[in-house]
Amino acid sequence: MADPTPDERLQKEFNQWAQAGEGEKMERHHLDITEKTIRHMQLRPGERVLDLGCGSGWATRLLARLVSDGPEGFWQVVGLDVSDEMFRQARGASKDFENILYVWGSAEKIPWEENFFDKVLSVESFYYYPDQDRALMELFRVMAPRGRMFILINLYKDNEYSLQWVPKLKVPVHVRSKDEYIELLKKHAFEKVEAVQIPDDTPTPENYKTTSFHSLDDLKAFKRVGALLLMASKPDLRTPAPGYTVY
Ligand SMILES: C[S@@+](CC[C@H](N)C(=O)[O-])C[C@H]1O[C@@H](n2cnc3c(N)ncnc32)[C@H](O)[C@@H]1O
């Protein structure tokens, strides 16, 4: 049998997370930093939004509420995930939303048309993508001219406490610094590249048992230093569709 592709490895790993109920639990861990990120997004009714690596879809539903009532009607928010089990859970939990469409697929091959999304959110997913360059090319392609993306990353060099989980992960990850990420986005021709740190202000109960950190103090320090939020815009240009040639 052929070796699994990197996407198939991610699919298998995150299917196991989903079956273990981790998809829903992540809402608790990521809600505070995601709400702060959503404030930066300045969403308006009618905007088309992509939630890349949407997991169980809790953030997708937050986005859908904020852009509803727009003129576009259906499918203003698309949630994409490489795990079909996450995708199923997200779809099952979003039956009441007429403006969400979940898609099973990879960030490295986004099954969507060019120049579409006004905003992109990605919560705790980007460092898993084996080929981040490919994912950025895909984001650039599917984003609307002047569209803006918001990538939230909990695992990065400038938060030294986050590095404690790397050996515990069963799939390879990228560990870059804030400056390295800024360079990467600029290399892909994104404009208005900004990076800010978003602390997690949720209280940590004194009896909380952490398996990811060496100690409760390290977990608290990790939350204080916070996640990295990368923000960047596509220039005011339209990406040609594949096969499009100007004679
Ligand atoms: C840590 S979880 C975060 C999920 C969700 N954003 C949240 O905050 O609850 C990472 C998610 O990224 C997805 N993912 C990983 N690699 C991916 C890829 N190449 N393309 C699309 N999704 C991917 C996983 O399946 C998983 O659902």
Side-chain angles (χ1 to χ4, degrees):
M1 218 166 67
D3 286 341
T5 64
D7 276 345
E8 284 166 348
R9 279 184 74 184
L10 287 163
Q11 179 188 0
K12 187 166 172 239
E13 173 66 7
F14 284 103
N15 276 354
Q16 283 170 4
W17 285 41
Q19 278 149 4
E22 292 296 327
E24 282 160 27
K25 278 194 211 149
M26 281 190 282
E27 174 170 6
R28 238 185 305 133
H29 295 305
H30 301 159
L31 183 62
D32 182 81
I33 54 174
T34 301
E35 283 181 337
K36 289 172 182 155
T37 299
I38 288 177
R39 272 178 234 147
H40 281 272
M41 291 178 78
Q42 300 185 348
L43 292 165
R44 288 190 302 268
E47 284 191 319
R48 297 159 158 185
V49 188
L50 172 66
D51 183 3
L52 190 64
C54 62
S56 64
W58 58 270
T60 324
R61 292 186 286 278
L62 287 181
L63 298 169
R65 286 193 191 97
L66 291 167
V67 298
S68 63
D69 299 329
E72 296 289 330
F74 295 95
W75 300 350
Q76 287 160 335
V77 183
V78 173
L80 176 80
D81 205 283
V82 79
S83 153
D84 52 312
E85 194 52 44
M86 290 283 188
F87 158 83
R88 264 190 288 279
Q89 290 188 5
R91 203 170 51 172
S94 307
K95 292 205 172 89
D96 295 338
F97 288 78
E98 290 190 334
N99 62 339
I100 297 181
L101 179 74
Y102 289 104
V103 180
W104 172 39
S106 169
E108 295 177 15
K109 204 172 173 192
I110 301 176
W112 211 265
E113 69 194 76
E114 290 69 33
N115 308 304
F116 190 86
F117 294 105
D118 302 302
K119 304 270 167 71
V120 176
L121 173 69
S122 183
V123 179
E124 289 303 302
S125 185
F126 192 71
Y127 52 80
Y128 289 105
Y129 306 160
D131 188 344
Q132 291 181 316
D133 285 295
R134 182 77 233 161
L136 286 172
M137 284 192 275
E138 279 293 85
L139 280 172
F140 193 96
R141 183 180 67 77
V142 299
M143 280 167 68
R146 301 170 66 201
R148 192 146 172 86
M149 68 180 182
F150 301 79
I151 299 179
L152 198 49
I153 294 177
N154 246 338
L155 177 58
Y156 64 113
K157 283 184 194 160
D158 311 70
N159 187 339
E160 59 176 302
Y161 303 98
S162 69
L163 309 182
Q164 292 180 14
W165 351 305
V166 178
K168 304 191 183 197
L169 293 168
K170 295 199 196 111
V171 281
V173 285
H174 293 277
V175 183
R176 299 188 196 269
S177 68
K178 182 191 211 170
D179 289 343
E180 286 165 350
Y181 271 121
I182 290 173
E183 278 318 298
L184 184 66
L185 298 188
K186 287 185 176 165
K187 187 180 93 181
H188 282 274
F190 284 97
E191 290 181 342
K192 298 183 193 155
V193 178
E194 290 173 64
V196 292
Q197 281 170 249
I198 308 271
D200 178 345
D201 292 319
T202 50
T204 306
E206 282 313 313
N207 59 355
Y208 186 78
K209 296 262 175 295
T210 171
T211 49
S212 306
F213 294 89
H214 299 330
S215 68
L216 212 53
D217 282 343
D218 283 357
L219 165 59
K220 289 180 190 168
F222 160 79
K223 288 162 84 169
R224 241 185 344 264
V225 176
L228 178 66
L229 171 60
L230 299 167
M231 295 173 278
S233 301
K234 177 169 171 172
D236 190 8
L237 61 84
R238 291 184 68 76
T239 305
Y244 178 96
T245 318
V246 179
Y247 292 101

